[in-house]
């Protein structure tokens, strides 16, 4: 059965539609827009924002930067996996990253509301880094314990997170997304057998 399109393009379309809906909601009130699209404590107050916040963006610059990063890091992954796996991975990692940002910052001070796809985009970046053939080859030659590998992943995620730090950036969400991507890439959770790829191509 032929594919109807790329999950990458579908995600970009979702970004654009959600951005328009944010703008329309904002015409009525900022509170309405936030209640529909911003993940904020308490999480149970507006549980749908666990999903909608992943695809929402603060402004046009935020939308364009995340879209460019999505294309850069998501394109190779989208070509190598199925629609369902790509969308499920993107949403799950983005939601977990957002929840971690809100809950984690709440533990150390005032919980920070969050919106944007950067947690999911960082997960794609991590997946691409840990799940490629070169990484697989290195891993097969260098045998280390799972705990050491996890420690290396945590250190790498922290390094990448702080290297991309900027004001008003959800660092904890970036760290979480990148770490999830590294672990998922090493486990090959988006890998599909070649005969499945051929049938769905």
């Amino acid at each position: 059965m032929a594919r109807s399109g790329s999950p990458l393009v579908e995600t970009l379309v979702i970004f654009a539609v959600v951005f328009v809906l944010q703008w329309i909601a904002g015409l009525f009130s900022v509170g309405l827009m936030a209640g529909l699209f911003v993940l904020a404590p308490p999480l149970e107050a507006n549980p749908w924002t666990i999903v909608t916040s992943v695809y929402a963006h603060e402004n046009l610059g935020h939308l364009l930067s995340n879209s460019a990063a999505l294309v850069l890091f998501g394109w190779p992954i989208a070509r190598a996996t199925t629609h369902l796996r790509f969308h499920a991975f993107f949403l799950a990692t983005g939601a977990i990253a957002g929840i971690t940002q809100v809950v984690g910052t709440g533990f150390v001070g005032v919980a920070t509301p969050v919106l944007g796809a950067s947690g999911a985009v960082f997960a794609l970046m991590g997946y691409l880094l840990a799940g490629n053939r070169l990484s697989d080859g290195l891993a097969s030659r260098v045998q280390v314990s799972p705990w050491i590998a996890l420690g290396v992943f945590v250190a790498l995620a922290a390094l990448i997170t702080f290297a991309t730090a900027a004001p008003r950036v959800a660092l904890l969400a970036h760290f979480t997304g990148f770490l999830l991507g590294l672990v998922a890439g090493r486990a090959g959770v988006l890998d599909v057998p070649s005969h499945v790829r051929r049938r769905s191509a």
Side-chain angles (χ1 to χ4, degrees):
M1 190 164 78
R3 284 186 178 179
S4 59
S6 165
L8 199 63
V9 173
E10 292 163 359
T11 305
L12 291 170
V13 170
I14 294 170
F15 281 2
V17 170
V18 170
F19 192 71
V20 171
L21 292 175
Q22 286 180 257
W23 178 76
I24 293 170
L27 292 178
F28 291 96
S29 78
V30 175
L32 176 62
M33 192 283 293
L36 292 174
F37 299 104
V38 179
L39 183 62
L43 297 178
E44 62 274 12
N46 298 318
W48 52 85
T49 59
I50 293 172
V51 173
T52 59
S53 65
V54 175
Y55 302 98
H57 292 88
E58 185 175 10
N59 52 45
L60 184 59
H62 190 204
L63 171 65
L64 293 176
S65 64
N66 272 346
S67 296
L70 170 64
V71 171
L72 179 63
F73 300 115
W75 178 77
I77 298 171
R79 288 178 56 84
T81 192
T82 65
H83 272 62
L84 179 60
R85 289 185 192 212
F86 184 90
H87 286 302
F89 179 79
F90 191 86
L91 177 57
T93 55
I96 293 169
I99 291 170
T100 303
Q101 175 72 29
V102 173
V103 174
T105 54
F107 278 133
V108 297
V110 178
T112 306
V114 67
L115 78 167
S118 54
V121 169
F122 268 71
L124 291 172
M125 187 194 313
Y127 193 97
L128 197 58
L129 182 63
N132 61 64
R133 291 179 182 176
L134 178 60
S135 297
D136 288 342
L138 289 173
S140 66
R141 292 180 183 177
V142 181
Q143 297 295 323
V144 296
S145 78
W147 291 109
I148 292 176
L150 182 60
V152 170
F153 285 168
V154 169
L156 184 58
L159 179 65
I160 294 295
T161 300
F162 286 112
T164 57
R168 296 176 55 81
V169 166
L171 290 180
L172 196 51
H174 288 187
F175 171 83
T176 303
F178 193 75
L179 182 59
L180 288 172
L182 288 172
V183 173
R186 195 68 226 111
V189 299
L190 295 179
D191 294 350
V192 292
S194 57
H195 69 277
V196 174
R197 284 202 300 272
R198 284 196 297 271
R199 189 169 60 232
S200 62

